[in-house]
Amino acid sequence: MATIYEVSALAGVSLSSVSRVLNDHQHVSEKTKKKVMAAMQELGFRPNTVARSLASNRSNCIGILVDELHGPFYGTMLSAIETELRQAGKHTIVAAGHSNEQSEQEGIDFLIDRNCDALIMLVDALSNDYLIKLSNSKTPFTVLNRQIPELEGNCFYLNNELGGYLATKHLIDNGHKQIAYISGPLSKQDATDRFNGHQRALQEAKLDYNPALFFEGDFLIQSGRDGMNTLLKQKACFTALACANDEMAAGAMKATRDQGFNIPEDYSIIGFDNVFFTEYLYPQLSTVNFPIKDMAKMSSQWILKQVYKHKDIEITNLFQPTLIPRESVAKI
Amino acid sequence: MATIYEVSALAGVSLSSVSRVLNDHQHVSEKTKKKVMAAMQELGFRPNTVARSLASNRSNCIGILVDELHGPFYGTMLSAIETELRQAGKHTIVAAGHSNEQSEQEGIDFLIDRNCDALIMLVDALSNDYLIKLSNSKTPFTVLNRQIPELEGNCFYLNNELGGYLATKHLIDNGHKQIAYISGPLSKQDATDRFNGHQRALQEAKLDYNPALFFEGDFLIQSGRDGMNTLLKQKACFTALACANDEMAAGAMKATRDQGFNIPEDYSIIGFDNVFFTEYLYPQLSTVNFPIKDMAKMSSQWILKQVYKHKDIEITNLFQPTLIPRESVAKI
DNA sequence: GTGAAAGCGCTAACAG
DNA sequence: CTGTTAGCGCTTTCAC
């Protein structure tokens, strides 16, 4: 593998000149630039990224830390980030935190040690305090799906409350008056925000909130099944169900059918997130779109702008959900 | 950030000694080892990975190249690889090739330039020839879901023929005699292997293969819909359908119901891959398991063994599919 | 067992 | 606009 050294020799210029054209510096004459380029071409020169990192203290690597690598959400996110970053010549290093505080901290260290220029995180085990402390270190980072007031500019998040509102409103607009709700773990901000939105829609329509129609799940499919089974068993009746995410909605659909009911004839169901498999379900699940792709892209752009000084990038931190009506909600 | 230099000063030993304990070399006295460790602790020393890479020409990074980062398959794979590699202290750099030959080649260059110690690839646009040529370069690699005779030891693949056989056999065992088939693009090896397995099962049961009951899809959901719609329209009748992957099976289920038929009462359907959402479908999709997780793990271990000289690792290149009977296939 | 010294390939002042 | 000169932080011969 040829080095910058051999290039400089062949081109008959100094090391620095080669380095300059390599880094697109201004103040290089067209002539030497041409000579250098030709020499690089001839030698099949490929710059050694590691050496560049060491000398410049820049790795051109962005670390991505997520709870899990599998699941419908993360793939979409990774894909959007990788696409955006790679076309800017940046690499993506991934690490999973497995929703475990210690493991997530290790993941961060892992990524920082690797000299990542910046981090993108979608994690929930890490405390706000930890993240705030981290913001004083030299590695800039971005946080997805989380709003931390002290770190406002670094956070890219959804108006979850509005999403929750939209979902329940859609049910109400279809004539439903008794609406059950399966939430995510209320210890998580996004879960409570969505639930608050649900309640706001109820109030707005002057519908009473009935605690018997509430079930707290954990965002996983099984809790959707458990939730719907529980709801179906209690006495208060209802005609529609809003779930705080699509996985739980899928579980609820299963439970509903296992009990011999039809969707949406007997029960209308709406999810949240609009993950790709919602279209595969039968009936196709009505849901609320979570623009994870846009958010992932935006946070990549934030890094491009902050860390690599790209210009002309408009940053938005707050994203809006939209209703995706499909087949699982019917008029009553 | 403390350097090895400060550690050596504080410990009162030379640079080399510090380096030795850092790298777990033999021939270091317990005493100096202790002193060094203490000094590191005190200074909160964290070795600079980049400098180590440059000096040792080892990055402890494994590059992963996949067609796409989203989709049900890749997440599972990435997750298994990251878990396995990270606990060995290795990092994972990902790149997507977008099923485009040039883009995949760029992905490889990208990863090699980044000084990856090895590569794991799950790609289909790259030709065997290209891969064979690549095997002469200094970066070892592994190929998933693909069998290249010249690169036998580097390939980790499924017995797709057997999988195809198992699926159709399951249909036959349930009494079906007219079985339709929606294949993947026959230009791809895995698609033809699966299809061959289908035909073998037919022959074995002395059932005639009817070309009218065949549709060539592209592994995406829409082609499953198109396929089933086409099959339903032609005159030859059938009672069961085997699909070369789960996405197409999901599409076929949709088409079946859109035409007013029930699954499995009117048509039994079986998929292939056993991706996570097959359990979310209604009815739950019977399918054939593709042990992508095991394969991903095994290929990580191959790298650990070949590149990092870990011992006691048994390598298997060929994996076996298994039948996963669920609800979408009924006796006739 | 330990230390000295020479790089790994490149960037970045600093002169000119 | 170009060349000289130090390093970046660590590994690795090679002596001792």
Side-chain angles (χ1 to χ4, degrees):
Chain A
M1 197 84 275
T3 72
I4 201 181
Y5 220 78
E6 304 167 41
V7 174
S8 84
L10 183 61
V13 298
S14 74
L15 271 193
S16 349
S17 291
V18 179
S19 175
R20 284 192 193 98
V21 342
L22 204 53
N23 293 285
D24 246 341
H25 275 225
Q26 59 270 60
H27 308 312
V28 219
S29 73
E30 271 308 313
K31 219 176 79 189
T32 58
K33 192 166 177 178
K34 274 219 176 79
K35 281 194 291 186
V36 170
M37 302 275 248
M40 285 182 171
Q41 187 82 49
E42 190 175 335
L43 293 167
F45 171 79
R46 305 271 287 282
N48 178 321
T49 352
V50 177
R52 297 179 87 171
S53 294
L54 182 59
S56 65
N57 201 22
R58 259 280 128 95
S59 68
N60 286 315
C61 269
I62 312 307
I64 316 286
L65 183 68
V66 294
D67 293 325
E68 299 297 342
L69 254 9
H70 54 253
F73 221 77
Y74 303 106
T76 308
M77 165 185 161
L78 272 187
S79 181
I81 295 176
E82 196 267 350
T83 303
E84 189 70 17
L85 252 26
R86 179 129 84 101
Q87 73 190 26
K90 312 303 176 195
H91 304 239
T92 311
I93 300 190
V94 303
H98 305 291
S99 291
N100 163 330
E101 180 154 20
Q102 194 197 334
S103 171
E104 289 185 357
Q105 290 186 5
E106 284 171 7
I108 291 180
D109 290 345
F110 193 80
L111 261 13
I112 290 183
D113 281 352
R114 184 74 223 166
N115 219 325
C116 286
D117 294 337
L119 264 33
I120 295 179
M121 301 190 250
L122 177 52
V123 292
D124 53 25
L126 251 27
S127 69
N128 280 7
D129 284 349
Y130 182 88
L131 260 11
I132 292 170
K133 226 167 269 159
L134 187 66
S135 70
N136 296 320
S137 75
K138 77 174 219 302
T139 309
F141 64 86
T142 259
V143 178
L144 292 189
N145 193 30
R146 196 157 157 173
Q147 183 186 11
I148 304 172
E150 293 87 342
L151 262 30
E152 192 63 35
N154 304 326
C155 295
F156 295 88
Y157 51 95
L158 184 74
N159 187 338
N160 278 301
E161 198 272 346
L162 177 59
Y165 170 84
L166 253 27
T168 296
K169 175 83 161 40
H170 180 56
L171 263 14
I172 293 171
D173 286 347
N174 275 275
H176 296 277
K177 298 204 183 310
Q178 285 98 12
I179 300 175
Y181 192 83
I182 298 182
S183 81
L186 293 181
S187 57
K188 299 195 181 172
Q189 190 62 41
D190 51 354
T192 58
D193 288 346
R194 291 174 187 191
F195 180 48
N196 288 338
H198 164 72
Q199 291 187 299
R200 177 160 67 90
L202 250 32
Q203 278 165 23
E204 193 184 89
K206 308 230 188 305
L207 260 26
D208 283 334
Y209 165 68
N210 180 352
L213 295 181
F214 173 86
F215 183 89
E216 180 175 349
D218 62 5
F219 280 142
L220 299 177
I221 187 168
Q222 185 58 43
S223 75
R225 286 178 79 162
D226 296 344
M228 190 57 167
N229 280 326
T230 306
L231 291 167
L232 251 18
K233 263 184 213 116
Q234 48 81 57
K235 50 250 150 254
C237 75
F238 61 101
T239 60
L241 168 71
C243 294
N245 80 348
D246 292 332
E247 329 261 324
M248 294 195 297
M253 285 172 79
K254 172 113 188 90
T256 306
R257 263 184 308 237
D258 286 346
Q259 301 291 328
F261 297 110
N262 292 317
I263 305 166
E265 294 76 9
D266 299 318
Y267 290 97
S268 284
I269 297 184
I270 189 164
F272 200 119
D273 281 348
N274 193 27
V275 298
F276 75 93
F277 70 72
T278 50
E279 294 192 85
Y280 294 9
L281 298 176
Y282 182 78
Q284 291 187 12
L285 186 66
S286 295
T287 188
V288 168
N289 187 53
F290 187 124
I292 180 64
K293 203 170 154 182
D294 297 338
M295 286 169 61
K297 187 171 169 183
M298 182 61 80
S299 77
S300 308
Q301 293 181 326
W302 181 87
I303 288 174
L304 256 19
K305 182 173 183 176
Q306 298 296 317
V307 182
Y308 302 111
K309 309 303 176 198
H310 285 203
K311 309 286 183 198
D312 296 328
I313 294 179
E314 219 28 91
I315 300 297
T316 317
N317 292 88
L318 177 61
F319 288 74
Q320 301 299 342
T322 47
L323 180 70
I324 309 285
R326 284 203 275 248
E327 308 168 347
S328 65
V329 173
K331 281 224 179 322
I332 199 167
Chain B
M1 197 83 277
T3 71
I4 202 182
Y5 220 79
E6 304 167 41
V7 174
S8 85
L10 183 60
V13 298
S14 74
L15 270 193
S16 345
S17 292
V18 179
S19 175
R20 284 191 192 98
V21 343
L22 204 54
N23 293 284
D24 246 342
H25 275 225
Q26 59 271 59
H27 307 311
V28 220
S29 72
E30 271 308 313
K31 218 177 80 190
T32 59
K33 192 167 177 177
K34 273 219 177 79
K35 280 194 293 187
V36 171
M37 301 276 247
M40 285 181 171
Q41 186 81 48
E42 188 174 338
L43 293 167
F45 170 79
R46 306 268 290 280
N48 179 320
T49 352
V50 177
R52 296 180 88 170
S53 292
L54 182 60
S56 66
N57 201 24
R58 256 283 129 92
S59 68
N60 286 315
C61 269
I62 313 306
I64 316 285
L65 182 69
V66 293
D67 294 325
E68 299 296 343
L69 254 9
H70 54 253
F73 222 77
Y74 304 106
T76 308
M77 166 185 161
L78 271 187
S79 181
I81 295 175
E82 196 266 350
T83 303
E84 190 70 16
L85 253 25
R86 179 129 83 100
Q87 72 190 29
K90 312 303 174 193
H91 305 239
T92 310
I93 300 190
V94 303
H98 306 291
S99 291
N100 164 328
E101 180 155 19
Q102 195 198 333
S103 172
E104 290 186 357
Q105 290 186 5
E106 284 171 7
I108 290 181
D109 290 345
F110 192 80
L111 261 14
I112 290 183
D113 281 353
R114 185 74 223 165
N115 218 327
C116 287
D117 294 337
L119 264 34
I120 295 179
M121 302 190 250
L122 177 51
V123 294
D124 53 24
L126 252 27
S127 70
N128 280 7
D129 284 349
Y130 182 88
L131 259 12
I132 292 170
K133 226 167 269 158
L134 187 65
S135 70
N136 296 319
S137 76
K138 76 173 219 302
T139 310
F141 63 86
T142 259
V143 177
L144 292 189
N145 194 29
R146 197 157 156 174
Q147 183 187 11
I148 304 173
E150 294 87 343
L151 262 32
E152 192 63 36
N154 304 325
C155 297
F156 296 88
Y157 52 94
L158 185 73
N159 188 338
N160 278 301
E161 198 273 347
L162 177 59
Y165 170 84
L166 253 28
T168 296
K169 175 83 161 37
H170 180 57
L171 263 14
I172 293 172
D173 286 347
N174 276 276
H176 296 277
K177 299 202 182 311
Q178 284 98 13
I179 302 174
Y181 192 82
I182 298 182
S183 80
L186 292 181
S187 58
K188 298 196 181 170
Q189 191 62 41
D190 52 353
T192 59
D193 288 346
R194 290 174 187 192
F195 180 49
N196 287 338
H198 165 71
Q199 292 187 298
R200 177 160 68 89
L202 251 31
Q203 277 165 21
E204 192 184 273
K206 307 231 187 305
L207 261 26
D208 283 335
Y209 165 67
N210 181 352
L213 294 181
F214 174 84
F215 183 90
E216 180 175 349
D218 62 4
F219 281 142
L220 300 178
I221 186 166
Q222 185 58 42
S223 75
R225 286 179 78 163
D226 296 345
M228 190 56 168
N229 281 326
T230 305
L231 292 168
L232 252 18
K233 261 184 216 120
Q234 48 81 57
K235 51 255 148 236
C237 73
F238 60 102
T239 60
L241 167 72
C243 293
N245 80 347
D246 293 331
E247 331 260 325
M248 295 195 297
M253 285 172 79
K254 171 112 188 89
T256 306
R257 263 181 311 236
D258 285 347
Q259 300 292 326
F261 297 110
N262 291 316
I263 305 167
E265 294 78 8
D266 299 318
Y267 290 97
S268 284
I269 296 183
I270 190 165
F272 199 121
D273 281 349
N274 193 28
V275 299
F276 75 93
F277 69 73
T278 49
E279 294 191 85
Y280 295 7
L281 298 176
Y282 182 79
Q284 291 189 11
L285 186 65
S286 295
T287 188
V288 168
N289 187 54
F290 188 125
I292 181 63
K293 202 169 154 182
D294 297 338
M295 286 169 59
K297 187 171 169 184
M298 182 61 78
S299 76
S300 309
Q301 293 182 325
W302 181 88
I303 288 174
L304 256 20
K305 181 173 182 177
Q306 297 296 317
V307 183
Y308 302 111
K309 308 304 175 196
H310 285 205
K311 308 288 184 197
D312 295 327
I313 294 181
E314 219 27 91
I315 300 297
T316 316
N317 292 87
L318 176 61
F319 288 74
Q320 302 299 341
T322 47
L323 180 71
I324 308 286
R326 284 202 275 247
E327 308 168 348
S328 64
V329 172
K331 282 224 178 319
I332 198 166

